């Protein structure tokens, strides 16, 4: 067995994976990393998160209250904050989602005793105490070191309501709005980096026709102003319009045509795309106890993101050939059936090794399209859909998807380096054998991410480099014994990254990746 394989199999966590792996009979996959022709910047905002008032995503996942026995800072649980800080989360989309278009911001400010208790009609008819509101959200961002992505209520709200909310967050302390914010504990204006103008206005956000949405978009883009004097020039707030529901491009055409012919009084800085991996709708596939067949089916569905982004980019290029408007994939991830016994309106699903591979494939796709895709938000951050973190009262467990985001952190704001390779195909389901991206980080270091999609066999990868020396490679690899392996509160270390080394030869670096795995390595001269 080659040295790299011995290094991988040396860990007890991989004994099952290596025992299942057949002898390596497939040809070596040749990667060519072209460091002499760098590409666009991989914007750190593609690693964004999403925290909707949905199930236990906020309440119990982020907010436990100031009087909770769970360690917290001003009601925000400390273990979750510490875990998220390690991901270098660039932005957090809030308060939704479908919840955003029924959210009235004044219900969530001021003294806790005076806040309204309402019903979350979108998600399980749960009671909404509004104890986590604007100021708590901003406190949470400060604790994890992230930026605000606010989704305003276009469906059941008004331009005036959204404008007043923005004034509350960003106006000078001498204004009436600023004085109200100061009275609630924050005299200085908040920074709002992104403003989402509605959510899924083609669906739960009002079932609007594209033309009607565009008429509303112009008003919100004009009058929902950011008053923070520090947010000018390149730091100015970026407004994101509602775009497509998957491959349905009527909103894309309507918004981009309107933007192309706009008058001076309004503008945009982003267009959204929502696309989930579910292999059919409504979701019928479980998040636990599945086999190779469903593993293959979901990954094939995930790979549709490549053609979907290409389709949207072609339309956007007709109106914006200079690519001024980013494509913002602000809802993506696996949407599977709710865990048995859970409230189906809470969208609780387990997170497996398959989901980690799915996440890596999507991040690779976003990076390859970094000239147009400059922001994305996985759904969702805690306890909902493809979550980073699961909590149960005082317990917390990190998911396989969390580890992929942590492994990929060096790609934030790195410069894409083109990678050429023949992905080949597997005998099982026709999936490609491998996927890979490379980048140079802001310190000048070269990073290589490689995914072995084959659920049963290792992949031997030989990477050659131009424009940079490559004499060693070291990093982490994530895999486990089964495609449906999971980390649980009782067994939190089943799917864990371990060290991996590449073996240098005269022409590059040789890697042997275990079956169903994700690896990220730093390449050193």
């Amino acid at each position: 067995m080659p040295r790299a394989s011995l290094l991988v199999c040396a860990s007890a966590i991989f004994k099952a994976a290596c025992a299942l792996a057949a002898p390596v009979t497939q040809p070596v996959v040749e990667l060519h990393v072209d460091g002499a022709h760098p590409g666009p910047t991989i914007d750190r905002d593609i690693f964004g998160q999403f925290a909707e008032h949905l199930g236990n995503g906020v309440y119990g996942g982020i907010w436990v209250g100031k009087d909770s026995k769970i360690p917290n800072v001003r009601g925000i649980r400390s273990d979750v904050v510490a875990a998220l800080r390690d991901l270098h989360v660039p932005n957090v989309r809030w308060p939704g989602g479908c919840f955003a278009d029924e959210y009235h911001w004044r219900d969530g400010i001021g003294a806790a005793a005076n806040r309204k208790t309402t019903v979350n009609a979108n998600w399980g008819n749960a009671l909404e105490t509004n104890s986590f509101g604007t100021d708590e959200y901003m406190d949470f961002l400060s604790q994890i070191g992230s930026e605000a992505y606010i989704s305003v209520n276009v469906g059941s709200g008004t331009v005036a309501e959204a404008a007043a909310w923005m004034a509350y967050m960003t106006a000078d302390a001498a204004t009436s709005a600023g004085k109200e914010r100061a009275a609630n504990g924050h005299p200085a204006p908040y920074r709002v980096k992104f403003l989402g103008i509605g959510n899924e206005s083609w669906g739960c956000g009002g079932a609007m026709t594209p033309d009607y949405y565009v008429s509303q978009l112009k008003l919100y883009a004009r009058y929902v102003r950011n008053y923070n004097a520090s947010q000018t020039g390149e730091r100015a707030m970026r407004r994101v319009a509602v775009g497509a529901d998957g491959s349905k491009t009527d909103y894309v055409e309507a918004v981009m045509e309107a933007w192309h012919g706009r008058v001076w009084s309004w503008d945009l800085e982003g267009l959204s795309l929502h696309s989930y991996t579910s292999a059919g709708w409504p979701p019928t596939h479980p998040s636990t106890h599945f086999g190779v067949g469903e593993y293959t089916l979901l990954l094939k569905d995930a790979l549709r993101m490549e053609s979907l982004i290409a389709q949207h980019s072609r339309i956007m290029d007709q109106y914006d050939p200079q690519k001024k408007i980013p494509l913002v994939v602000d809802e993506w991830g696996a949407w599977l059936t709710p865990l048995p016994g859970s409230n189906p309106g809470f969208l609780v699903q387990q997170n497996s090794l398959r989901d980690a591979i799915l996440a890596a494939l999507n991040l690779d796709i976003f990076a390859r399209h970094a000239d147009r895709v400059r922001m994305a938000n996985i759904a969702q951050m805690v306890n909902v859909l493809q979550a980073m973190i699961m909590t149960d009262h005082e317990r917390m467990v990190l998911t396989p998807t969390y580890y992929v985001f942590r492994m990929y952190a060096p790609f934030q704001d790195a410069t894409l380096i083109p990678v050429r390779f023949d992905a080949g195909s597997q005998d099982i389901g026709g999936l490609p054998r491998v996927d890979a991206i490379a980048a140079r980080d802001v310190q000048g270091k070269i990073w290589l991410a490689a995914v072995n999609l084959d659920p049963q066999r290792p992949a031997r990868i030989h990477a050659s480099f131009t424009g940079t020396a490559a004499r060693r490679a070291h990093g982490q690899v994530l895999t486990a014994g089964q495609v449906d392996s999971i980390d649980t509160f009782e067994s939190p270390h089943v799917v864990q990254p371990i060290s991996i080394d590449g073996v240098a030869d005269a022409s590059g670096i040789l890697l042997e990746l275990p079956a169903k795995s994700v690896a990220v390595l730093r390449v050193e001269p």
Side-chain angles (χ1 to χ4, degrees), residues 392-476:
D392 177 31
H393 300 288
E394 73 284 352
R395 299 188 296 176
M396 182 190 80
V397 66
L398 306 178
T399 70
T401 298
Y402 173 92
Y403 293 118
V404 166
F405 269 69
R406 194 173 70 183
M407 291 163 64
Y408 271 67
F411 289 89
Q412 294 188 16
D413 286 337
T415 300
L416 182 70
I417 297 176
V419 179
R420 299 195 307 271
F421 60 95
D422 180 0
S425 63
Q426 303 174 21
D427 297 334
I428 301 173
L431 280 173
R433 291 178 58 200
V434 299
D435 195 45
I437 60 169
R440 188 187 304 273
D441 71 16
V442 293
Q443 285 83 36
K445 299 182 178 69
I446 302 294
W447 294 85
L448 176 66
V451 182
N452 179 8
L453 288 76
D454 194 309
Q456 296 178 339
R457 290 180 290 190
R460 299 187 74 199
I461 296 175
H462 181 261
S464 60
F465 298 79
T466 57
T468 184
R471 294 185 175 85
R472 61 184 65 86
H474 176 74
Q476 291 186 314

Side-chain angles (χ1 to χ4, degrees), residues 1-6 8 22 24 458-461 477 500-502 510-514:
M1 183 177 289
R3 179 186 169 201
S5 181
L6 289 171
V8 171
V24 179
R460 299 187 74 199
I461 296 175
V477 62
I500 183 173
D501 289 291
L510 180 66
L511 301 172
E512 184 165 339
L513 300 184

Side-chain angles (χ1 to χ4, degrees), residues 289-467:
H289 303 104
F290 57 85
V292 167
E294 285 183 300
Y295 165 90
T296 302
L297 185 66
L298 265 292
L299 292 191
K300 287 181 73 172
D301 193 41
L303 290 170
R304 290 189 310 109
M305 183 67 80
E306 187 94 53
S307 60
L308 193 61
I309 290 173
Q311 174 196 25
H312 286 69
S313 295
R314 284 192 295 271
I315 296 171
M316 295 175 75
D317 285 349
Q318 296 174 26
Y319 302 97
D320 176 29
Q322 295 179 315
K323 301 184 187 296
K324 294 180 179 179
I325 302 295
L327 183 61
V328 176
V329 191
D330 56 10
E331 288 191 28
W332 68 274
W335 192 323
L336 306 167
T337 56
L339 282 178
S342 68
N343 183 330
F346 283 11
L347 303 187
V348 183
Q349 63 189 44
Q350 189 51 267
N351 196 289
S352 68
L353 174 63
R354 177 189 63 188
D355 299 316
I357 295 171
L358 185 155
L361 293 173
N362 275 275
L363 293 174
D364 288 357
I365 292 167
F366 299 154
R368 281 194 289 270
H369 292 271
D371 60 339
R372 181 63 82 178
V373 179
R374 301 199 286 275
M375 184 175 172
N377 301 79
I378 191 170
Q380 294 186 11
M381 179 179 273
V382 189
N383 290 332
V384 176
L385 296 177
Q386 191 173 345
M388 303 288 111
I389 298 168
M390 304 291 286
T391 66
D392 177 31
H393 300 288
E394 73 284 352
R395 299 188 296 176
M396 182 190 80
V397 66
L398 306 178
T399 70
T401 298
Y402 173 92
Y403 293 118
V404 166
F405 269 69
R406 194 173 70 183
M407 291 163 64
Y408 271 67
F411 289 89
Q412 294 188 16
D413 286 337
T415 300
L416 182 70
I417 297 176
V419 179
R420 299 195 307 271
F421 60 95
D422 180 0
S425 63
Q426 303 174 21
D427 297 334
I428 301 173
L431 280 173
R433 291 178 58 200
V434 299
D435 195 45
I437 60 169
R440 188 187 304 273
D441 71 16
V442 293
Q443 285 83 36
K445 299 182 178 69
I446 302 294
W447 294 85
L448 176 66
V451 182
N452 179 8
L453 288 76
D454 194 309
Q456 296 178 339
R457 290 180 290 190
R460 299 187 74 199
I461 296 175
H462 181 261
S464 60
F465 298 79
T466 57

Side-chain angles (χ1 to χ4, degrees), residues 21-35:
V24 179
T25 58
Q26 291 183 308
V28 172
V29 177
E30 293 287 347
L31 301 182
H32 180 66
V33 182
D34 188 1

Side-chain angles (χ1 to χ4, degrees), residues 180-244:
E180 185 175 20
R181 183 188 64 244
N184 290 330
H186 204 278
Y190 291 120
R191 172 177 160 84
V192 178
K193 186 174 182 180
F194 301 103
L195 182 76
I197 301 177
N199 168 78
E200 296 189 359
S201 300
W202 33 260
C204 67
M208 301 175 187
T209 65
D211 288 344
Y212 182 79
Y213 172 73
V214 167
S215 72
Q216 299 302 297
L217 167 65
K218 294 175 182 178
L219 297 174
Y220 280 82
R222 168 64 172 163
Y223 294 112
V224 184
R225 305 175 189 270
N226 188 317
Y227 297 96
N228 189 328
S230 71
Q231 289 193 244
T232 58
E234 292 185 357
R235 292 172 54 85
M237 183 179 72
R238 306 172 197 175
R239 293 156 291 187
V240 179
V242 172

Side-chain angles (χ1 to χ4, degrees), residues 121-132:
N122 286 289
W123 304 118
N125 289 321
L127 289 180
E128 171 57 60
T129 65
N130 284 296
S131 53
F132 187 90

